[in-house]
């Protein structure tokens, strides 16, 4: 296989985090920079082609669920499972802003055209618009019935479009904060969306395995692609807007839209592709699995219609030919020029040629103002009067109070019931899963092995289960011993990272119980280590005391960051800090 015949290859694969990778984003400027976020609560920056981390950013207290760059790649933003957003200056490696307001995981982020405004979507179904200079929320957009999966500002900066797990796409006017159009034709969650670079055209990809194209002058559906084998995960137009690339799990297709047609198709090994971008006649795709990240390169010049052959493989009315599956994944790319293919066997193969009759082409609809988004007149930098009122509070600190200017929205009874049912269904599923886990722990405990039951409960990695078990054993002081303490203390350290007050209260009361019941025993054993004749029992007790001492010291350093908490929780935190200090 020669270099000239290669159309796609894996550039690199490497371990990106100490825990599972949850998200990634490619730099929009030159596709040379990539950000990844993981369960280890870190945001790592990478230069494409190098497996060595360029910069590691910390500050979040829970796993990172979403990352993104501004257009200049001067800032990176990350949203966490707790609903907090942090913005870093890359050159200074410093947190610029911390934005709080969402009540659940951050699931989508996008910078405004001018870079000083940020939009965020969340599992709480809301979209928020932020002024990153003043660290405040300008407006909250409400109306979706499910998680916000994707959102983007229009190229002229006047609109924001949001796609949700409820299968709808909403277009919001930034000047009035109102929905100006809603698209409902998808039959499953909307996973991605892209504005055409020149025409007033919007593409949306969905878990229903189709891509839909929408006319933004008339808001009509232009066309729908045939159903793919897997859900659509990412879409991107080529810079000139001649075609759209659609990435599904282990496949890439090149689409036209008037009429809908498949120009070309590749079988890829990238799994669940998480981001795609086009630079220098190459498409860069990135995916993650567990702790690893993989980067793929596609030579666009070898794909239709960019190779001079504009004959599509299939029309929208025809069934898409199945992709030929390669037998094995290619090895990782060797070091060298970032975007240069090697002589390894080609990992991406085209499907068998499709025989079809000559097409009867219908001329594309002529939309108004097709040439450039600029013809619509890009707005100046948004004013607060347009995007939500700002009330400057007259106080000594001179703080700026940003008040949402979101109009009340009326919903029908059926819409309310549907939204409520979706929420109750999620709660029910969580409770059923917790019940199954508790029954499993109870089965182990019923066999008389409390220590194993504790280890099982903690290993389930469910803080709710851990809290339930701790509340039970706190009421039975007789079952505690040093071994129990060594099992429980690491779990307490994790609970002190929780965003739930009840978890923090239980962690405080459990640590208080351990220090008061075993603190003096631990100190006495550490002050009199075993010497002389071998005493196995005494040596084991010393080791457990030493381990408990180290664990309590680690927890003490963790809980100091909660010292500013208010109310009853703040009092409990400060009490346990005082008790911990007396322990030493």
């Amino acid at each position: 296989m020669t270099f000239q015949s290669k159309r796609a290859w894996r550039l690199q694969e490497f371990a990106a985090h100490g825990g599972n990778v949850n998200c990634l984003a490619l730099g929009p400027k030159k596709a040379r920079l990539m950000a990844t976020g993981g369960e280890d609560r870190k945001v790592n920056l990478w230069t494409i082609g190098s497996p060595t981390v360029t910069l590691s950013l910390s500050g979040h207290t829970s796993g990172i669920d979403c990352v993104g760059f501004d257009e200049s790649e001067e800032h990176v933003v990350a949203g966490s499972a707790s609903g907090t957003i942090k913005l870093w200056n890359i050159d200074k490696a410093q947190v610029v802003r911390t934005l709080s307001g969402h009540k659940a995981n951050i699931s989508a982020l996008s910078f405004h055209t001018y870079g000083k405004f940020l939009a965020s979507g969340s599992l709480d179904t809301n979209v928020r618009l932020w002024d990153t200079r003043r660290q405040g929320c300008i407006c909250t957009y409400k109306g979706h019935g499910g998680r916000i999966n994707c959102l983007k500002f229009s190229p002229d900066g006047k609109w924001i479009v949001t796609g949700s797990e409820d299968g709808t796409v909403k277009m919001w006017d930034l000047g009035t904060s109102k929905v100006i159009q809603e698209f409902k034709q998808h039959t499953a969650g909307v996973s991605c969306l892209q504005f055409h670079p020149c025409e007033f055209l919007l593409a949306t990809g969905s878990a229903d395995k189709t891509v839909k194209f929408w006319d933004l002058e008339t808001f009509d559906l232009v066309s729908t692609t045939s159903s793919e084998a897997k859900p659509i995960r990412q879409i991107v137009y080529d810079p000139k807007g001649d075609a759209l690339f659609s990435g599904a799990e282990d496949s890439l297709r090149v689409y036209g839209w008037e009429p809908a047609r498949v120009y070309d198709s590749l079988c890829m090994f990238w799994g669940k592709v998480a981001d795609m971008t086009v630079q220098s006649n190459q498409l860069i795709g990135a995916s993650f699995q567990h702790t690893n990240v993989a980067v793929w390169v596609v030579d666009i010049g070898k794909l239709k219609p960019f190779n001079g052959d504009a004959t599509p493989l299939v029309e929208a009315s025809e069934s898409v030919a199945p992709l030929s599956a390669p037998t094995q994944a290619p090895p990782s790319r060797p070091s060298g020029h970032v975007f240069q293919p090697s002589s390894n066997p080609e990992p991406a193969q085209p499907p068998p040629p499709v025989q079809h009759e000559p097409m009867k082409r219908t001329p594309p609809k002529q939309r108004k103002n097709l040439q450039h988004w600029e013809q619509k007149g890009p707005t100046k930098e948004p004013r607060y009067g347009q995007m939500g009122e700002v009330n400057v509070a007259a106080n000594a600190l001179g703080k700026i109070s940003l008040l949402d200017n979101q109009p009340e929205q009326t919903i029908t009874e059926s819409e309310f019931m549907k939204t409520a049912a979706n929420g109750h269904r999620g709660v029910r599923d969580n409770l059923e899963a917790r019940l199954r886990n508790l029954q499993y722990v109870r089965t182990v405990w019923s066999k008389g092995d409390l220590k194993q039951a504790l280890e099982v409960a903690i290993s389930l990695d469910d803080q709710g289960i851990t809290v339930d078990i701790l509340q039970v054993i706190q009421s039975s002081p007789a079952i505690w011993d040093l071994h129990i303490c060594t099992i429980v203390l690491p779990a307490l350290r994790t609970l002190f990272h929780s965003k739930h007050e009840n978890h923090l209260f239980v962690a405080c009361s459990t640590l208080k119980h351990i220090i008061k019941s075993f603190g003096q025993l631990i100190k006495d054993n550490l002050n009199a280590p075993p010497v002389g004749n071998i005493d196995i029992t005494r040596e084991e007790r010393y080791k457990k005391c030493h381990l408990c001492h180290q664990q309590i010291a680690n927890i003490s350093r963790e809980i100091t960051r909660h010292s500013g908490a208010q109310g009853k929780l703040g009092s409990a935190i400060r009490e346990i800090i005082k008790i911990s200090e007396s322990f030493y």
Side-chain angles (χ1 to χ4, degrees), residues 68-104:
F69 291 97
D70 63 355
E71 289 296 323
S72 64
E73 296 183 3
E74 295 177 357
H75 297 89
V76 63
V77 64
S80 72
S82 66
T84 302
I85 301 168
K86 288 187 180 291
L87 178 69
W88 284 270
N89 180 293
I90 295 176
D91 289 339
K92 297 179 180 179
Q94 291 180 348
V95 174
V96 178
R97 291 286 182 266
T98 298
L99 308 172
S100 300
H102 282 294
K103 298 179 180 179

Side-chain angles (χ1 to χ4, degrees), residues 343-499:
S343 57
N344 291 334
E346 182 180 4
Q349 300 290 340
V354 178
Q355 301 296 328
H356 54 272
E357 296 296 324
M359 297 171 296
K360 296 180 180 180
R361 186 76 65 203
T362 56
K365 173 185 174 181
Q366 295 298 315
R367 285 180 291 277
K368 296 179 181 180
N369 300 329
L370 292 181
Q371 298 304 315
H372 297 286
W373 276 91
E374 286 74 13
Q375 289 190 5
K376 228 176 168 37
T379 60
K380 296 180 181 179
E381 183 175 308
R383 300 191 305 273
Y384 290 119
Q386 294 175 314
M387 303 173 67
E389 293 182 357
V390 174
N391 175 32
V392 182
N395 55 42
L397 297 178
K399 292 183 179 179
I400 297 178
S401 175
L402 301 172
L403 303 180
D404 288 352
N405 192 30
Q406 177 68 18
E408 292 292 330
Q409 297 186 7
T410 59
I411 61 174
T412 65
E413 182 179 351
S414 62
E415 290 174 334
F416 172 79
M417 293 302 296
K418 180 179 179 181
T419 302
N422 288 336
H424 286 302
R425 191 177 299 113
V427 173
R428 182 200 64 193
D429 292 344
N430 288 334
L431 290 176
E432 287 178 349
R434 179 170 295 179
L435 177 60
R436 288 194 297 269
N437 288 336
L438 283 172
Q439 288 173 337
Y440 176 45
V441 174
R442 181 186 179 185
T443 300
V444 178
W445 198 336
S446 64
K447 297 178 180 179
D449 195 338
L450 170 61
K451 296 178 177 62
Q452 185 180 356
L454 274 173
E455 291 172 345
V456 168
I458 294 170
S459 70
L460 292 173
D461 197 23
D462 184 333
Q463 291 186 352
I465 297 293
T466 302
V467 167
D468 290 340
I469 299 300
L470 290 179
Q471 288 177 314
V472 171
I473 65 175
Q474 275 189 55
S475 61
S476 303
I479 67 177
W480 284 82
D481 58 25
L482 284 174
H483 192 173
I484 297 291
C485 293
T486 61
I487 296 173
V488 168
L489 283 168
L492 294 185
R493 187 178 181 185
T494 301
L495 287 180
F496 277 112
H497 286 285
S498 175
K499 60 181 181 294

Side-chain angles (χ1 to χ4, degrees), residues 153-181:
F153 290 97
S154 61
D156 66 357
K158 289 185 175 181
W159 303 331
I160 183 171
V161 176
T162 57
S164 170
E165 192 66 23
D166 64 9
T168 65
V169 177
K170 293 180 184 287
M171 178 176 289
W172 310 80
D173 183 273
L174 295 184
T176 63
S177 302
K178 293 182 179 179
V179 175
I180 57 177
Q181 185 62 34

Side-chain angles (χ1 to χ4, degrees), residues 103-315:
K103 298 179 180 179
N105 309 55
I106 304 298
S107 52
L109 292 165
S110 180
F111 279 94
H112 188 269
T113 312
Y114 306 105
K116 298 172 183 176
F117 301 92
L118 175 73
S120 61
S122 169
L123 186 63
D124 65 13
T125 75
N126 293 333
V127 175
R128 286 180 177 264
L129 184 64
W130 309 86
D131 183 339
T132 59
R133 298 167 299 182
R134 291 176 171 83
Q135 197 168 337
C137 178
I138 298 172
C139 191
T140 301
Y141 303 97
K142 301 179 180 180
H144 279 295
R147 179 185 64 197
I148 309 301
N149 291 332
C150 52
L151 50 81
K152 282 188 182 296
F153 290 97
S154 61
D156 66 357
K158 289 185 175 181
W159 303 331
I160 183 171
V161 176
T162 57
S164 170
E165 192 66 23
D166 64 9
T168 65
V169 177
K170 293 180 184 287
M171 178 176 289
W172 310 80
D173 183 273
L174 295 184
T176 63
S177 302
K178 293 182 179 179
V179 175
I180 57 177
Q181 185 62 34
E182 182 175 9
F183 306 109
K184 299 182 177 181
Q185 282 84 339
H186 280 297
T187 58
V190 178
S191 53
C192 48
L193 53 89
Q194 285 287 344
F195 287 96
H196 193 281
C198 304
E199 301 182 16
F200 297 129
L201 186 74
L202 175 72
T204 56
S206 168
D208 66 11
K209 306 175 185 178
T210 68
V211 177
K212 295 184 183 294
F213 298 91
W214 312 89
D215 188 317
L216 297 183
E217 288 286 332
T218 64
F219 302 123
D220 292 331
L221 177 64
V222 175
S223 60
T224 301
T225 65
S226 300
S227 180
E228 296 196 18
K230 297 289 182 67
I232 309 299
R233 296 186 58 83
Q234 290 293 323
I235 55 176
V236 62
Y237 286 100
D238 77 282
K240 294 182 180 179
D242 293 330
L244 179 93
F245 299 97
S246 171
E249 185 174 343
D250 295 327
S251 70
L252 174 72
R253 286 199 167 97
V254 188
Y255 285 116
W257 48 89
E258 287 183 306
R261 55 201 182 276
V262 181
Y263 281 121
D264 214 334
S265 187
L266 285 176
C267 185
M268 304 293 292
F269 286 98
W270 53 23
K272 297 179 180 179
V273 60
D275 198 7
M276 299 192 309
T277 186
V278 177
Q279 296 286 343
S280 303
N281 206 36
Q282 290 180 322
L283 182 143
I284 313 301
S287 61
F288 58 84
Q289 185 175 17
H290 303 306
T291 61
N292 282 15
V293 167
V295 178
W296 291 76
V297 181
V298 178
D299 187 343
I300 294 176
K302 292 185 172 66
L303 302 180
K304 296 180 182 181
F306 306 99
N307 62 358
D309 182 1
T311 304
L313 297 177
V314 291
E315 292 291 331

